[in-house]
Amino acid sequence: MRYLVSGKEMKLLDQNTSQVFHVPELVLMEQASMAFVQKLLLLKQNKLSTALIACGSGNNGGDGLAIARLLREQGIFVFVWLAGEEEGHRTSPSYDTQKQICSAYRIPVVQKEKVSAGEASYDVVIDALFGTGLSREISGALANDIDVLNQLSGWKVAVDIASGISSDDGAVLGTAFRADDTITFSFGKKGQYLWPGNEYCGKVHVVSMGITQESWLDDKPHTAVLEPEDLKKLPSRMAHTNKGSYGKLLIIAGSVNMSGAACFCAKAAYRMGSGLVRVFTCEQNRLILQTKVPEAVLVTGQENEEETLLAEQLQWADAVVFGPGIGTGQRARRMTSTVLEQCRVPLVLDADALNIIADQPELLQQAKTDIILTPHPGEMSRLTKKPVSEILTTLEQSAETFAKRFHVICVLKDFHTVTAVSDGMTYVNLSGNNGMATAGSGDVLAGVIGSLLAQGMKAEEAAPLGVYVHGLAGDAAKEKCGVRGMMASDIIEGLKEVEKS
């Protein structure tokens, strides 16, 4: 697991490193610039001849000036555009020092007119206009400067973060530099991975520059991403065991003409390691489920006995997944009340269960167990009564606010899914790909998380790890079938590849 930080947190880390550990700001700037240059050259395997570096007037611009000097030492023809000074902005002390050094080395400075006229081409265009501390919208001449950079040809690389992107939530502050790659320092920034910031920052590379975990002091960040090392947290398998050793999962899913959701969910749970899976569904799905997932035990009943049967199955289970494909009719609403009133084991609420709860949010107050909700932005919009556009641009905040309000875990699904634990960490998921935007993918995720719960994982661990594994399975599927033709069944097969890794 590694942490992501906000702009405010990064500023505090800078200050702590200088004030508590006595590392001068200028030393940190030099270390950051050297790390940037080393990564830049590694990415292009030293195949760079010319570079344009656009510098703001603050410390990000100071980084840019130091980078210019270091690239010059590598034999690259470097040109500096002092955009911040041209617009009359006050400069920082470290920027002034780096400018003096560049002047002494006679590094050429170009004017905006020459850059915008396109009189020269560059192998790499480096954005060092604004850093992670930007909190206001960019407008006027500086906005035009960014537009000029975006129109240039060549490889686009941002220093620390693409200028114009909020490091806190990925918002575009007026306009923003469109980077192919971002080389960022010490820790990833949240805005580099949340939409739309992730589209502007390109591929993010984190490099070390002397600010370490010691600089947190007693105030750790609360946002993190999982990494391959975290797969060690998956439930262990012992030699002397039986199917009952790996959990009993109840999946309440499916309705007439909606059998697929139950199939995907059950099969994913077995692929994730569940020992026993029961599917509670309507009688019309019997043949399909027994054909597609013969390993699962099927529970069906007449409408007048369903409530009693459901209560019995809730007593049997170690964990429950409720909602995929159940519809929103009266039968589904009765089941929702029964599940939330009587379930005493960890519970995953997905799909139609969320739509029913959106009409009756007070149902969540009835629950007496750990709950994980897995909404996509449309379902989150219905749950919160906020437009999808707002949900998409406040993904982390939306998930955290909902989780705290209802004391649940909220898995808000998107390209980079956010998992918020009501009284703990928030996780941004970086595994997965756009091929997973396909029908049934969410049912697979619900089955994966439910399986981990049934095997004994705590809800606050099972939710983010399940999301991460689900994404890795999608990445494995991508290797075999690409993204355009990926289906939910391919993601389930990808779970086998995750197990091998």
Side-chain angles (χ1 to χ4, degrees):
M1 183 177 76
R2 62 185 173 90
Y3 291 92
L4 302 182
V5 299
S6 65
K8 183 178 179 180
E9 287 171 331
M10 194 65 215
K11 183 178 180 180
L12 183 61
L13 290 170
D14 278 325
Q15 292 174 349
N16 289 344
T17 305
S18 294
Q19 295 173 9
V20 178
F21 295 99
H22 310 293
V23 183
E25 181 180 271
L26 206 57
V27 171
L28 292 174
M29 184 174 284
E30 283 293 308
Q31 291 178 163
S33 301
M34 284 190 284
F36 181 97
V37 169
Q38 288 171 358
K39 188 65 177 183
L40 187 81
L41 297 178
L42 182 64
L43 290 173
K44 276 297 178 180
Q45 299 180 341
N46 296 320
K47 296 177 181 178
L48 293 173
S49 298
T50 58
L52 172 69
I53 305 177
C55 299
S57 58
N59 283 355
N60 195 250
D63 291 337
L65 290 168
I67 289 165
R69 168 171 47 84
L70 294 170
L71 287 176
R72 162 86 169 265
E73 291 175 4
Q74 298 296 319
I76 296 170
F77 291 101
V78 177
F79 300 87
V80 171
W81 174 20
L82 302 177
E85 278 195 59
E86 283 186 2
E87 309 305 342
H89 288 250
R90 197 166 74 181
T91 58
S92 71
S94 294
Y95 171 95
D96 293 336
T97 299
Q98 294 292 356
K99 183 185 175 185
Q100 289 173 356
I101 296 171
C102 283
S103 296
Y105 279 101
R106 297 182 180 179
I107 292 175
V109 174
V110 295
Q111 303 301 312
K112 179 176 180 176
E113 291 74 18
K114 185 174 181 179
V115 175
S116 58
E119 295 181 12
S121 60
Y122 309 95
D123 294 329
V124 59
V125 176
I126 298 175
D127 159 37
L129 291 174
F130 294 98
T132 58
L134 182 68
S135 58
R136 60 178 175 81
E137 288 214 348
I138 301 173
S139 59
L142 280 171
N144 181 255
D145 293 343
I146 290 176
D147 291 340
V148 169
L149 292 177
N150 284 335
Q151 291 167 18
L152 294 176
S153 60
W155 180 33
K156 307 281 180 54
V157 183
V159 178
D160 212 9
I161 194 166
S163 290
I165 295 299
S166 166
S167 57
D168 296 340
D169 59 13
V172 176
L173 300 174
T175 188
F177 180 74
R178 286 191 173 272
D180 299 305
D181 291 85
T182 294
I183 300 175
T184 195
F185 306 127
S186 295
F187 303 97
K189 316 307 183 291
K190 293 191 286 186
Q192 295 164 342
Y193 302 102
L194 298 172
W195 187 84
N198 62 306
E199 294 188 354
Y200 285 81
C201 290
K203 188 171 183 180
V204 178
H205 312 269
V206 182
V207 296
S208 175
M209 49 80 73
I211 296 178
T212 61
Q213 294 185 9
E214 284 81 0
S215 295
W216 294 337
L217 303 181
D218 296 322
D219 192 17
K220 286 186 178 181
H222 79 284
T223 303
V225 298
L226 298 187
E227 299 182 293
E229 185 75 11
D230 292 290
L231 293 176
K232 294 179 180 179
K233 299 175 184 176
L234 288 170
S236 58
R237 310 280 293 192
M238 301 298 180
H240 190 71
T241 53
N242 56 62
K243 60 188 177 183
S245 304
Y246 301 109
K248 298 176 290 185
L249 179 64
L250 174 64
I251 296 172
I252 307 164
S255 56
V256 178
N257 296 327
M258 289 292 289
S259 60
C263 292
F264 291 137
C265 193
K267 201 159 191 175
Y270 270 124
R271 285 283 185 225
M272 199 64 240
S274 284
L276 289 164
V277 177
R278 287 186 182 178
V279 180
F280 187 97
T281 190
C282 61
E283 177 64 30
Q284 289 88 338
N285 290 334
R286 177 176 293 278
L287 181 60
I288 296 172
L289 276 159
Q290 289 183 330
T291 303
K292 295 293 184 181
V293 197
E295 300 89 346
V297 174
L298 202 61
V299 180
T300 65
Q302 299 300 318
E303 188 170 337
N304 60 356
E305 60 181 3
E306 272 194 332
E307 189 171 342
T308 301
L309 275 175
L310 182 54
E312 291 173 356
Q313 300 309 311
L314 291 171
Q315 291 290 324
W316 169 85
D318 293 319
V320 176
V321 175
F322 175 58
I326 63 171
T328 57
Q330 289 304 311
R331 170 181 175 271
R333 292 177 184 275
R334 286 194 299 271
M335 287 196 299
T336 301
S337 295
T338 299
V339 169
L340 289 173
E341 288 174 2
Q342 299 190 31
C343 186
R344 298 295 183 270
V345 294
L347 171 64
V348 179
L349 296 175
D350 184 44
D352 287 326
L354 303 176
N355 294 324
I356 293 170
I357 290 169
D359 292 335
Q360 300 173 272
E362 65 277 4
L363 289 173
L364 284 176
Q365 310 293 351
Q366 300 174 9
K368 299 177 178 63
T369 186
D370 293 329
I371 294 181
I372 300 171
L373 293 91
T374 59
H376 58 56
E379 290 161 344
M380 193 66 172
S381 173
R382 291 188 281 276
L383 284 166
T384 61
K385 307 300 186 288
K386 294 180 179 179
V388 171
S389 58
E390 183 177 339
I391 300 296
L392 288 171
T393 54
T394 60
L395 209 68
E396 183 182 29
Q397 181 184 345
S398 295
E400 289 178 346
T401 299
F402 190 88
K404 290 175 181 176
R405 178 184 174 189
F406 291 102
H407 304 288
V408 296
I409 295 171
C410 181
V411 177
L412 182 46
K413 297 180 289 194
D414 195 44
F415 182 68
H416 286 155
T417 293
V418 170
T419 301
V421 180
S422 60
D423 56 353
M425 293 289 297
T426 296
Y427 300 86
V428 178
N429 185 59
L430 302 185
S431 64
N433 57 80
N434 58 19
M436 300 174 73
T438 185
S441 179
D443 305 319
V444 175
L445 174 60
V448 168
I449 296 174
S451 176
L452 294 177
L453 291 171
Q455 292 176 67
M457 285 196 78
K458 294 180 179 178
E460 60 267 27
E461 295 179 342
L465 188 58
V467 171
Y468 180 59
V469 169
H470 179 251
L472 291 177
D475 289 336
K478 177 183 175 182
E479 293 300 313
K480 289 195 172 183
C481 63
V483 294
R484 292 187 185 278
M486 190 185 302
M487 297 191 296
S489 54
D490 298 314
I491 301 172
I492 294 173
E493 292 302 300
L495 290 170
K496 294 189 295 185
E497 302 303 315
V498 177
E499 173 69 20
K500 294 177 185 178
S501 61

